[in-house]
Amino acid sequence: MDTREILTRFKGGTLRREHAVALLAGTSPAVAPPAVALPAADREPLPAPAPGPVPGPVPGADAGAGNGTGAGMPCAVVGIQGRFPQAGDLEAFWRNGLQGRTAEAALPGGRRSACAGWRGHFLDGVEEFDPDLFGLGAREAAGLDLRERLLAQSAWQTLESAGYAGARLERLTAPDGTARSVGVYAALGPAGGALPGTGHRHTAPPASRPGPAARLSRLLDLRGPSLSVDSGDSSFLTALHLALGGLRAGECAAALVGAVELRLHPACQRPGAGEGVAAVLLKPLAAARADGDRVHAVIRSSAVGHPGRAAPGPQHGRLVGRALAAAGLRPPGTGPQHPDPGPQGPDPGAQLEVPDAGLEAVGVALEESSRTVAALVGDAGAVTGAAALVRAVGQLRHAVLLAGPDRPAPAAWEPARRDDGTVLPRRALVSVPGPAAPAAPTAPVDPAAPAAPTDAVDAVGPADAVDAVDAVDAADAADGVEDTDGTDGTDGTDGTDGAEGVEGVGVVLVVEEAPAAPRAPARTGPPPGTRPAELVLLSAATPAHLAATAGRLAARLSDDGGGGGRDGGPAGPDLAAVAHELRLGRAVLRCRLAVTVRTVAELADALAGFAAHPGPGRGPAGVRSADLRTAAGPPLIEGLEETRAYVAALWQGGRLEQLTRLWLAGVDVCAVLPAHPGPAAVELPATVLRPRPLEPGPGTDGAPQ
């Protein structure tokens, strides 16, 4: 049953809410949904068996996944970006972790506080947004609340860092041929109120207003599944679990998973509260390797579950066992724990009891959770899992174990070995809530007693706040105000962010270091100064964006260590790879630049000169630029098959002058190029953002949600 059918049956009353949520989350409902006979007109006829092989899900997917486990093919993290307290990018976040710094600070200026002198973990400039980057006017930008704006910027940078903001994005196709097949899975915490000084409350938006993930899909023109999730601190990891399911089912070619948390209203600003925003781009590992993508880490498996009304303590161990089983890892010493398979069939996690020593035997030497990231992000709600994943990926990439609750100082991460000397890949667990201190004793729960009113919703499963279900939940209309946090109105308004009741939603990921890739062959051919010239193309939303981005790129290219190759490619920048990445990895926008060079040093000098003296026409060092924002539209020849053939012939013949003129006239000369060239590609710095303060949007109206 696909997502559309699940939602249709839920809205039509033929599927109960808890069953719809369980099916969307990939878990098994506690009780099978009742069989409901649909009218004949609503039934889909069963297709007749076709002769020969039948197309299935994405190659490598395991059809045996179930019981809430993300089993099957591994998926690669090909893009990752974020902003955290006292860390404007991931490099700063890594340095903070390496140096053991705490990001706790006083409330930023301009924000209201419930009590003077309290400290937390905050983002700076949350009221700023760059609408020009997305082609939005002030009115349209005001339609997005602060969380959505931050997430949109982080998502854009993630696509750029992965090389999927331009022509390559068009070539991410679904099994039915749909282009730009990227699912969006958004984890947003409750709207925390507006910044002071707005002086008014926004009226409730229309009931038909789509969820945050749907708005992000529209903003970025992405055409895969679109789901918004709020399951408390585990929101990001729950969204990622759903994204893995979508990839393995072949519903999308890539998945963008993001999370954001803000604590703007004084009622949400308890001591230790934290904020942050992050996004990752996922692809099936086999596809990522075939496409030459940069692989930061590999998600082997995931497991998600809610303890219901039982004590949440034992749940974490069960989820760890299920995740390891889904990844095909069985630590020595594990054995049957619950021989009864239960009414829903065997639970792979229930058959394993994983001792701590057994984890190291399968290469798991690390577990990142809310405890390990507390000093960096505090109590960060929906973005907690993103911070834990970012920290785990950094340690896997650098082969360094950071200091944490159980480690006093950073240490080299030596890989584990089997008895025969075989080196195991470095692996980490990422979990929320994760292992915690024993809870205080509580009164026993009588399973026969009636559930509390809030439990009827909160105990249904890990994705009990999937916006697609809650959008048609009648409880949302109880007070006439949209629940912008994606829940069904059960969240508290006392500063607890509605965590009570969903805090038991747990998620565990098994994350593995990127597999070693064959190094690119040694460069051969003429010396750098005598190699063929390369046409380097760059575009941006405005002339100011173009100049700033050119300056940032020049600085990176001037750095001897910048522009490293993907998956073990050459350490230094390669001109052909840089030019190709800019042509295919970036969106084609209206302010454009072109320059023909023969060396990386020549390119760095040309871009630095343009950044210092920007302007249309021919600039320093042969740089030519154009501002097409006032043009009537794309040239008449744009989009024609004859034009594509003509442009392809120009590239084949090396006619760089003609290509330059077409580019500056508004023709997309990059669409005909092969997506992945022979040279190792590089990761280049993202487009420079130029945010400015804007009016807070709906959902940030000064009242806690």
Side-chain angles (χ1 to χ4, degrees), residues 219-610:
L219 186 64
L220 299 177
D221 192 17
L222 304 178
R223 303 166 190 172
S226 191
L227 295 175
S228 300
V229 178
D230 183 357
S231 58
D233 289 358
S234 64
S235 295
F236 173 80
L237 296 187
T238 301
L240 192 145
H241 174 83
L242 295 172
L244 294 175
L247 288 171
R248 289 163 178 154
E251 295 174 351
C252 50
L256 183 66
V257 186
V260 62
E261 184 78 38
L262 292 179
R263 310 281 190 173
L264 301 181
H265 194 274
C268 303
Q269 295 169 355
R270 57 182 177 273
E275 301 176 335
V277 57
V280 299
L281 185 67
L282 307 175
K283 286 181 63 178
L285 177 60
R289 295 295 300 276
D291 293 341
D293 295 326
R294 183 182 182 89
V295 178
H296 298 274
V298 177
I299 310 294
R300 288 287 303 272
S301 63
S302 61
V304 62
H306 193 290
R309 300 177 63 198
Q315 174 188 241
H316 178 72
R318 289 194 294 269
L319 292 179
V320 169
R322 287 163 57 184
L324 291 173
L329 304 174
R330 180 178 289 273
T334 58
Q337 183 180 11
H338 301 289
D340 182 8
Q344 300 299 326
D347 180 348
Q351 309 303 315
L352 295 176
E353 181 179 352
V354 184
D356 293 338
L359 294 175
E360 296 184 6
V362 292
V364 177
L366 173 71
E367 180 161 9
E368 288 294 328
S369 66
S370 53
R371 285 202 309 152
T372 61
V373 299
L376 296 173
V377 298
D379 176 12
V383 84
T384 300
L389 178 61
V390 167
R391 187 174 146 105
V393 169
Q395 293 171 89
L396 289 167
R397 291 186 63 184
H398 293 278
V400 171
L401 292 168
L402 295 178
D406 304 318
R407 190 177 302 106
W413 188 345
E414 299 296 336
R417 295 176 181 270
R418 294 195 181 99
D419 293 338
D420 60 3
T422 304
V423 177
L424 294 174
R426 296 176 180 87
R427 297 185 177 112
L429 300 179
V430 177
S431 61
V432 172
T442 57
V445 177
D446 180 4
T454 57
D455 288 344
V457 170
D458 293 331
V460 298
D464 51 286
V466 175
D467 281 356
V469 171
D470 290 329
V472 293
D473 197 310
D476 282 346
D479 56 1
V481 178
E482 180 194 38
D483 290 311
T484 58
D485 59 353
T487 66
D488 55 3
T490 59
D491 282 338
T493 58
D494 58 355
T496 64
D497 293 338
E500 182 179 0
V502 297
E503 61 187 1
V505 178
V507 188
V508 173
L509 304 182
V510 177
V511 187
E512 186 175 281
E513 65 180 329
R519 289 188 173 273
R523 297 173 185 170
T524 59
T530 60
R531 290 176 182 170
E534 287 285 348
L535 176 58
V536 178
L537 306 176
L538 189 65
S539 69
T542 69
H545 284 85
L546 186 61
T549 301
R552 174 181 284 180
L553 182 57
R556 172 64 65 87
L557 295 176
S558 298
D559 182 357
D560 291 339
R566 294 184 182 182
D567 286 347
D574 177 82
L575 178 60
V578 169
H580 203 94
E581 189 66 22
L582 290 174
R583 292 192 290 247
L584 290 178
R586 303 299 175 94
V588 176
L589 302 176
R590 303 298 289 167
C591 295
R592 302 185 180 185
L593 170 155
V595 62
T596 301
V597 294
R598 294 183 182 274
T599 67
V600 170
E602 189 179 344
L603 175 59
D605 290 342
L607 293 176
F610 176 80

